[in-house]
Amino acid sequence: MVEENSNMLLGTGDKPTTLRWVLLAIQHVCAMFGATILVPIVVNTTAGADILSIPVALVSSGLGTIIYLICTRNRSPVYLGSSFAFIAPMIAGYAIGGTGSVFTALMMVGIVYVIISLIIRMTGPGWINKLLPPVVVGPMIMVIGLSLAPTAIQEIGLDLAVVPWTNLLVAFISFLVTALVAIRGKGILQVIPFLIGIIVGYIVAAALGMVDFTQALTANVIEIPRFYLPFMNYDLNFAAILTIVPIALVTMVEHVGDHKVLSEIIGRDLIEDPGLQRTLLGDGLATFLAAFLGGPANTTYGENTSVVGMTRVASTYVIGLAAVIAIIFAFSGHLTALLTAIPQPVLGGISVLLYGFICVNGLKILIHNQVDFNNTKNVVVAATMLVLGLGGATLSIVNGDLSIAISGMSLAAIVGVLLNLCIPEEKHE
């Protein structure tokens, strides 16, 4: 049941053979794993407190993806993982009202998504397309991809004054193997380039003594994630609502953009089928559940969209199994420790391809929709978004206990939307 007008090897409703199914699912887990566990690491390190838990983030990611697939009737091969857009707001929210205020606000984010999905169900998605046209969504996706680029550089170690040769070798081998398998691989190898690249890179890194297996050897076989539940671990606290909830409007841009990119890849408009009202509902319920369990907000993952595009496999069976595997990993001390032990240069080499692919997909949106850059308005909107998104711009609003910081991706999205709505169309004589 391959999608119409698509070059997919497997469509959304196609079920792979058992071995291919498992391997493809593991590849998706590997694609999302680094970013999903990175959010808790960054938040906890920056805030100086254990706000988030890595196993809970994995459970939230898996359960959220399953909820999304149910809401979209298995018509959209999207994987949900921890959202980077909420890192700064969560840290600020913790400073304002503690851990309870962070999760209370994140639950409200999920409710906002659900409300917007209901509005779209009643009014249709037309106003969304007007609010987020290709000239806004394209640069937004490019900003998302390029803003992740420094992460890949840091993982490799190219930001250091002296780069260890082992880092360069491992990253280069991981990158090269992934690229070669994606381009020249045959049969099953062609659809698991990222998994092959990670495995080969991991082996090379282990041979060079770059992998510490201590935690994997001492971990328990089964470890129960440390869930953080309302009314049991904390009472609802609305102190951080205005600091965190407005970011929902920003992540909606990412949501729409990722779905438009994926629509181009699989050859079916996901905004129409299964419909934006269903995709937003799934994302919102997933985020609400994640926050309820004490996890970070969920969002559509461009990394997994990249995997779909490069492998040409859009099967929701694969996405669903990946979600189940992520949950299993959360309860497995040994498996989680092994994946956590993947050396940064391995992930960095793979990420060069993944993040670059996200950026190129944003460019493809502009090309496919024939955005006219002879039109000065379009130039102003796109150029401003790229500079703000990639230049490290930050806008802070402080009023008493209220503190809102909008930066990078968030600021670019908001400014892009406002410019597109407010700037009049260019007049031609």
Side-chain angles (χ1 to χ4, degrees), residues 175-199:
F175 170 88
L176 187 61
V177 169
T178 304
L180 289 177
V181 172
I183 296 171
R184 303 297 297 272
K186 303 294 182 182
I188 193 171
L189 293 179
Q190 187 181 28
V191 295
I192 54 170
F194 295 104
L195 181 58
I196 297 298
I198 289 173
I199 291 174

Side-chain angles (χ1 to χ4, degrees), residues 303-326:
E303 292 92 333
N304 295 86
T305 298
S306 297
V307 172
V308 171
M310 295 192 71
T311 61
R312 294 189 292 155
V313 173
S315 172
T316 53
Y317 288 95
V318 172
I319 301 295
L321 182 57
V324 172
I325 292 174

